[in-house]
Amino acid sequence: MIQALWKFEFLQNAFLAGILIGIIAPLLGVFIVVRRQALIADALSHITLAGIAASLLLGKYFTFWQGINPVYMGMGFSAAGSLFIEQLRKVYKHFEELAIPITLSGGIGLGVVFLSLADGFNSDLFNYLFGSVIAISRSDLSAVAVITVIVVIVVTLLYKELFFLSFDEEQANVSGVRAKWIHFIFILLVAFVIAVSMQIVGVLLVSALMTLPVAASIRIARGFKQTIVYSIIFGEVAVLGGLILAYYLDIAPGGTIVLLSALILLVVLLFKRMKQWKS
Amino acid sequence: MSTPNNLIDLQNVSFHYGDGYVLEDISFSIPEGAFVGLVGPNGSGKSTLIKLIFGLLKPQKGNVQIFGKKINKFHDWSKIGYVSQKANSFNSGFPASVFEVVSMGLTSKLGLFKFMKAPHRKAVMDALQLVGMSDFSSSNIGELSGGQQQRVFIARALVSQPEVLILDEPTVGVDANSTSDFYELLGKLNKENGITLLLVTHDIGTITDKVTHVACLNKTLHFHGETNEFEQFNEREVSGFYGHHVHVLSHDHDHGGI
Ligand SMILES: Nc1ncnc2c1ncn2[C@@H]1O[C@H](COP(=O)(O)OP(=O)(O)OP(=O)(O)O)[C@@H](O)[C@H]1O
Ligand SMILES: [Mg+2]
């Protein structure tokens, strides 16, 4: 494995991207989970797929477009989708969760139409749905790196506001926290992270990487900072372990990463049970 | 008595959510150093009044002034602490330690892009000390009892060293013993720490020996004045206003001969 890593650039790309995604996906996931918005990641990932499909479609008609990484258009769609969700939540004030299925099914609908027009039902699509160890290019990797830097900086700078808003929105408002802006910035970050994570974990499974490590961490952590640290550790174990397994078994990494996350969750739950039993 | 310095001032305020006024022509002020008890039956508009003070709602008529400034010109929110009626209805699985919850109270004082430093951490511990919860600083908030959580939320409101503290029914779900401890704590904050207090409560009887002013609200303000005047505001009227019999004077202590 080490030798292969040394030899093949695509493997280096996949592992470096994986390490970064293992940080940012669970990091944002913590805030998403504690706000009970776990499904938002699902809605946004499907919108991202529509963006990628749209990019493939454009590439079919304009040759110059083929040189452009479809991830960028995926990000654009995801960002637009995130704003759309915020808007819907305002319209359906008392049924906020309605925004999720509306966006999710809209995303799939658009994606299927664009893909059909682009004759896109091929092995590339399989990579987008379930992730890939070999599909990460240098340009994909730099997109992940840029997004990671942005996410880490923004979350660090806005940490106390994000934390306060997640815990108690009304009280945060009373204390003068600019809730609207912070929500807006946060959901944009989520959209970007989903778009770049998708290539390794896949559209269908990216939300699992944002929520499963957090679900495990919440059971054993003391305090919010510790919850974040454990989530990132679990996320890293799942991504790196999942990539190694996927490489050796020659299968899509999305599946192995998510199964490993689920296994970690199971172990944590059992561990917690045993501790309660003893005491 | 010289004219008191009013920290909070509502002038002829009326408010409705949709149909029909919930508050009508309210003129209400809180002088510096006062401990005001705000009472009224369910749905009488107490929480609404507080939301108007914080600018969470805007009155259709009238003015709200805070520290002598029009509310839209007032920005120094760290001067006013708030413990909401729903403070302990948070998701009890939320993974935040007591220390972290109290730190939230420093958010506006610190300002954007600033981080906690040693003096801020000390301020958090001091606030926990003040409410007698220092031993729990690293526990998760969801693991505490209702009364303990309430104390933590008070500490959060106190950590920015506000001049005014507003509490909306903070003793809901807290047992009688803890409740009376709690009122002791509020009395101490008012007398020793000089914090101006507005307390919304249904315990009209228990608080009359702690508060300096009483306000009775039911859409309009039925009474607003110093506690000793309130005792003359006869018991029958208060009972009628609450719709059942209430012991206003469940204590017997000296009111300085007035
Ligand atoms: N968000 C809202 N939308 C519409 N009406 C509301 C809203 N909040 C409160 N009301 C109405 O306004 C009135 C006053 O409510 P408020 O919450 O201020 O009462 P309260 O005195 O705090 O009652 P309680 O003792 O139960 O806390 C009630 O009739 C209530 O139905
Ligand atoms: Mg109320």
Side-chain angles (χ1 to χ4, degrees):
Chain A
M1 182 85 204
I2 305 278
Q3 271 172 351
L5 245 179
W6 211 244
K7 212 157 66 190
F8 301 117
E9 190 187 285
F10 74 86
L11 267 188
Q12 294 164 13
N13 292 347
F15 271 85
L16 289 174
I19 289 172
L20 297 177
I21 288 165
I23 297 172
I24 53 180
L27 172 62
L28 295 189
V30 172
F31 293 96
I32 295 177
V33 168
V34 298
R35 287 176 188 203
R36 307 180 191 228
Q37 295 183 340
L39 287 173
I40 251 183
D42 274 303
L44 288 179
S45 61
H46 288 84
I47 285 280
T48 308
L49 181 67
I52 283 171
S55 193
L56 295 177
L57 181 60
L58 282 174
K60 188 181 160 194
Y61 292 109
F62 308 104
T63 28
F64 75 91
W65 195 268
Q66 287 167 4
I68 294 174
N69 194 332
V71 168
Y72 296 133
M73 197 132 176
M75 269 189 215
F77 268 59
S78 183
S82 67
L83 305 183
F84 180 66
I85 290 179
E86 283 294 284
Q87 215 49 45
L88 274 180
R89 283 154 61 93
K90 267 183 228 148
V91 177
Y92 290 105
K93 245 191 183 143
H94 303 283
F95 303 99
E96 283 190 5
E97 71 282 2
L98 258 184
I100 307 278
I102 292 173
T103 319
L104 194 147
S105 44
I108 299 182
L110 268 180
V112 168
V113 169
F114 288 156
L115 279 171
S116 312
L117 293 175
D119 306 320
F121 287 100
N122 51 35
S123 63
D124 276 358
L125 175 64
F126 189 83
N127 291 345
Y128 289 123
L129 290 179
F130 304 108
S132 160
V133 188
I134 53 171
I136 313 287
S137 65
R138 273 284 134 127
S139 108
D140 292 332
L141 177 59
S142 32
V144 178
V146 170
I147 296 296
T148 303
V149 171
I150 294 175
V151 166
V152 170
I153 290 178
V154 173
V155 171
T156 308
L157 288 179
L158 294 180
Y159 174 78
K160 57 184 191 319
E161 284 78 13
L162 282 168
F163 175 50
F164 201 170
L165 270 178
S166 308
F167 186 79
D168 184 344
E169 180 148 1
E170 188 193 53
Q171 192 86 38
N173 277 326
V174 166
S175 312
V177 173
R178 307 275 193 113
K180 241 196 266 162
W181 278 104
I182 300 206
H183 276 312
F184 174 75
I185 293 170
F186 179 74
I187 198 159
L188 271 183
L189 291 185
V190 173
F192 290 145
V193 168
I194 285 173
V196 296
S197 308
M198 206 189 66
Q199 296 186 292
I200 284 200
V201 203
V203 173
L204 296 177
L205 301 169
V206 64
S207 71
L209 184 59
M210 300 189 102
T211 50
L212 290 187
V214 183
S217 163
I218 266 182
R219 297 298 300 168
I220 51 173
R222 298 212 137 251
F224 198 70
K225 285 205 172 123
Q226 215 178 71
T227 306
I228 292 178
V229 171
Y230 287 171
S231 300
I232 291 176
I233 293 173
F234 294 155
E236 288 293 346
V237 171
V239 170
L240 294 179
L243 280 174
I244 293 171
L245 278 176
Y247 175 75
Y248 278 116
L249 303 175
D250 195 18
I251 54 179
T256 49
I257 290 174
V258 170
L259 284 181
L260 267 184
S261 310
L263 189 69
I264 292 171
L265 178 61
L266 204 71
V267 169
V268 165
L269 291 179
L270 282 176
F271 170 77
K272 181 94 188 181
R273 229 334 118 72
M274 290 209 328
K275 248 177 90 179
Q276 278 169 353
W277 240 33
K278 272 187 196 154
S279 63
Chain B
M1 201 166 141
S2 62
T3 43
N5 183 9
N6 286 334
L7 300 188
I8 288 171
D9 215 342
L10 278 69
Q11 294 146 2
N12 307 101
V13 166
S14 298
F15 178 84
H16 62 77
Y17 284 101
D19 22 68
Y21 280 104
V22 173
L23 293 172
E24 218 171 332
D25 199 25
I26 307 279
S27 292
F28 174 74
S29 56
I30 304 179
E32 190 170 357
F35 183 169
V36 181
L38 177 61
V39 295
N42 291 128
S44 56
K46 303 181 298 292
S47 298
T48 305
L49 184 82
I50 284 171
K51 285 182 183 145
L52 289 168
I53 293 177
F54 281 103
L56 293 173
L57 300 170
K58 302 218 160 22
Q60 281 83 15
K61 291 188 205 157
N63 286 315
V64 179
Q65 287 206 337
I66 297 180
F67 287 90
K69 281 192 185 158
K70 279 233 165 85
I71 187 156
N72 50 352
K73 297 261 158 53
F74 181 81
H75 299 293
D76 205 356
W77 289 107
S78 63
K79 279 189 178 170
I80 310 188
Y82 176 42
V83 181
S84 100
Q85 186 169 13
K86 290 181 295 189
N88 58 0
S89 70
F90 68 97
N91 169 5
S92 66
F94 197 105
S97 70
V98 165
F99 186 92
E100 288 173 321
V101 171
V102 176
S103 315
M104 290 175 194
L106 287 169
T107 305
S108 90
K109 196 160 197 176
L110 279 166
L112 271 180
F113 311 147
K114 299 272 170 43
F115 301 99
M116 300 248 300
K117 301 215 177 65
H120 304 113
R121 280 188 278 275
K122 182 170 180 305
V124 170
M125 289 313 292
D126 288 348
L128 281 171
Q129 175 88 44
L130 198 59
V131 298
M133 289 294 294
S134 327
D135 294 346
F136 296 86
S137 68
S138 60
S139 308
N140 273 358
I141 181 80
E143 296 164 1
L144 304 183
S145 75
Q148 290 172 325
Q149 285 172 4
Q150 254 343 322
R151 283 168 179 264
V152 173
F153 291 123
I154 304 249
R156 176 174 74 179
L158 288 174
V159 69
S160 64
Q161 300 187 312
E163 293 172 38
V164 184
L165 184 58
I166 297 183
L167 307 116
D168 194 351
E169 291 186 50
T171 52
V172 171
V174 178
D175 66 53
N177 256 337
S178 311
T179 301
S180 79
D181 284 356
F182 187 77
Y183 289 141
E184 289 300 325
L185 171 65
L186 293 184
K188 191 182 100 185
L189 290 174
N190 179 243
K191 284 207 193 77
E192 292 173 22
N193 302 59
I195 296 174
T196 305
L197 288 170
L198 172 61
L199 171 69
V200 174
T201 178
H202 289 288
D203 287 342
I204 184 172
T206 5
I207 59 158
T208 38
D209 64 339
K210 292 274 180 323
V211 298
T212 59
H213 295 67
V214 178
C216 296
L217 186 71
N218 196 357
K219 190 164 144 189
T220 57
L221 206 56
H222 288 240
F223 175 86
H224 178 36
E226 297 190 20
T227 313
N228 45 38
E229 298 167 26
F230 180 65
E231 296 179 355
Q232 291 151 17
F233 179 72
N234 81 47
E235 194 165 334
R236 198 161 7 105
E237 268 183 72
V238 178
S239 308
F241 155 81
Y242 251 93
H244 57 85
H245 189 74
V246 178
H247 282 289
V248 182
L249 307 174
S250 66
H251 62 97
D252 42 6
H253 77 183
D254 189 10
H255 282 278
I258 304 175

